[in-house]
Each structure stands twice: as C-alpha cells, then as structure tokens.
Amino acid sequence: MPASLQLIPVLDLMGGQVVRARAGLRDEYLPLQSRLCQSSRPEAVVEGLLSLFPFRHLYIADLDAILGQGSHQTTLESLRRAHPELEFWVDAGFANVEAARIWQSKGLGRPVLGSESLSEVPARSVFPVGGVLSLDFRGDDFLGPTALVREAGHWPSDVIVMTLARVGMSEGPDLARLEELRRLAPACRLYAAGGVRHAADLVELTQAGAAGVLLASALHDGAISRTELAALRAGIPAPGPGRFVQAKIH
C-alpha cells in the first residue's frame, strides 16, 4: 500500500470552458458551477482549486480534441505559463503513440493515452516517456482494443482506472475493478477516476492500494472540505461522514 494518496483535480474542457462531467454523457455536459470560483473559465477554476489545496498535478481532458471537434492547445499554453509548478496530465484523444509523442514535444505536460481513443495496442517499450495510460470503462464494457485490458505487459508505470458511469455521480469509487487490475499489474501505480463522494472514500482508496485519485465534483461541491484536506495532508484523522477518517494525502 502506498504511503500516501496523490490527489489530482480534473478539468474537463469543452468549447473553451470547464464543464461538469456526468456519467460520460458528453452531449449533456454543462458549464461548471463551483463553490470554489465564480466562473467556468479554465484560469478561474484552476485558481479556485489551488485556493483549496496545494495540488501538484492536474488532469485535463480536452473533450473537443477527444471528440474530433477542435483543440484547447491555446488554453493549455496559457495555463502552463500561469502555473509552471503544476504537472499537467493531458488526454487529447491520441489515437496512437506517435500522435502522443508529437503532442508531448510541445512541452505542455504528460500525455494520457485514453483506451477509448486508441486505434492500436501500444507496446510498453514504445510508450512515450512519462506517458500515462487510461483504461476506460463504461459499466462492464471496456472501451478500447480488447487485448489492452487483458495484457498488463503493455501498460506503462502509471495507469488510470476510469469508470465513466461513476464520474460526477457520487456513487463511490469502483474498488472492485481497482482491486482486479491491481492483481493483474501489481507493479503499476493505479489512479482511480470516478465516484468519490467524501473523505472516507480517500481512505478506502488508500487501503485498496491506489497510488492516487482523480477528483472533480467532490471538490467543487464542497463534499471534501478544506479542513479535511488539511488534516489528511498532515496525516491526522479528519471528520468524515459519521466518523473520523485517516489517510495521508499529497
């Protein structure tokens, strides 16, 4: 079990705004409304997140690029200049390793290769240096080349377990799938995505062996408070839903 859990806020970009993701139904996404900021502009949302906690990583889904409807490269360049201290993980709908490498050469962050966008199964040996794999699931269905989810030998060191049906739905993280993939690839660092409700879920993810977690709704809705984050960062118990919870976070 890792010593601590890496918290990675999510920005879903669509049409120049940050949108609220729900269950992966992208045609229903609306501009983000958050307790942390007064605008859905990416710059305002990032500032709001950093006012809550000193996050060191940021996951950005360029939904326009993923859907083949444009790109947020200019926005990414602006965020990169404003926050050089942050490490960006960016899913821009890369169809293959070469596309990810070309994007990576622009110096905007680590490419995230989402399985739903991949047209082939990349070998671990040709994965971009620092590249991240996202294994994308909708219900029990794996989105992407079937061989990819069966052969852990293809996976890089960092792997996101994306449960789209739970994104923004506050149904709890998919601990069963996380455990299944952890048994399949014990050497990989697994990052849960989708379903986190409150601080107690962070404890359960730590106990389940997750290296980190992608977060959005629980932060913007205030379900995980500044007080809880500060306490968990310090490694002391924090009040959770009906009890005290403890997990070291960073």
Side-chain angles (χ1 to χ4, degrees), residues 69-156:
Q69 299 175 354
S71 167
H72 285 88
Q73 181 173 324
T74 301
T75 298
L76 289 169
E77 291 170 346
S78 176
L79 291 174
R80 175 80 279 161
R81 289 192 297 270
H83 300 282
E85 77 284 1
L86 291 177
E87 179 179 85
F88 292 172
W89 295 16
V90 181
D91 183 347
F94 308 114
N96 50 50
V97 167
E98 183 59 26
R101 285 178 172 166
I102 291 172
W103 180 89
Q104 188 177 36
S105 69
K106 300 173 184 178
L108 298 176
R110 299 175 66 180
V112 176
L113 283 76
S115 64
E116 67 167 321
S117 300
L118 289 174
S119 59
E120 59 189 38
V121 178
R124 182 188 179 107
S125 61
V126 301
F127 231 85
V129 175
V132 180
L133 174 65
S134 179
L135 297 175
D136 304 325
F137 296 86
R138 189 182 300 281
D140 292 331
D141 296 329
F142 175 66
L143 306 180
T146 303
L148 183 59
V149 74
R150 293 176 178 171
E151 300 292 339
H154 291 289
W155 304 354

Side-chain angles (χ1 to χ4, degrees), residues 23-97:
L25 303 174
R26 291 166 181 156
D27 58 344
E28 299 180 9
Y29 288 3
L30 298 173
L32 176 70
Q33 293 185 348
S34 171
R35 297 187 181 191
L36 303 178
C37 53
Q38 299 300 312
S39 168
S40 60
R41 291 186 304 106
E43 298 82 1
V45 176
V46 174
E47 292 293 344
L49 288 166
L50 293 177
S51 72
L52 179 68
F53 188 78
F55 298 108
R56 296 186 292 180
H57 301 72
L58 190 65
Y59 172 93
I60 301 175
D62 185 341
L63 296 176
D64 287 357
I66 291 171
L67 295 171
Q69 299 175 354
S71 167
H72 285 88
Q73 181 173 324
T74 301
T75 298
L76 289 169
E77 291 170 346
S78 176
L79 291 174
R80 175 80 279 161
R81 289 192 297 270
H83 300 282
E85 77 284 1
L86 291 177
E87 179 179 85
F88 292 172
W89 295 16
V90 181
D91 183 347
F94 308 114
N96 50 50
V97 167

Side-chain angles (χ1 to χ4, degrees), residues 160-182:
I160 296 168
V161 183
M162 178 72 70
T163 306
L164 287 168
R166 299 196 184 205
V167 169
M169 302 304 289
S170 299
E171 295 180 352
D174 193 345
L175 297 171
R177 178 165 286 134
L178 183 71
E179 176 60 25
E180 175 187 352
L181 296 179
R182 192 170 70 88

Side-chain angles (χ1 to χ4, degrees), residues 53 227-238 246-250:
F53 188 78
T227 299
E228 289 173 317
L229 290 172
L232 293 173
R233 186 186 187 204
I236 61 177
Q246 183 170 15
K248 182 74 171 177
I249 62 172
H250 64 107

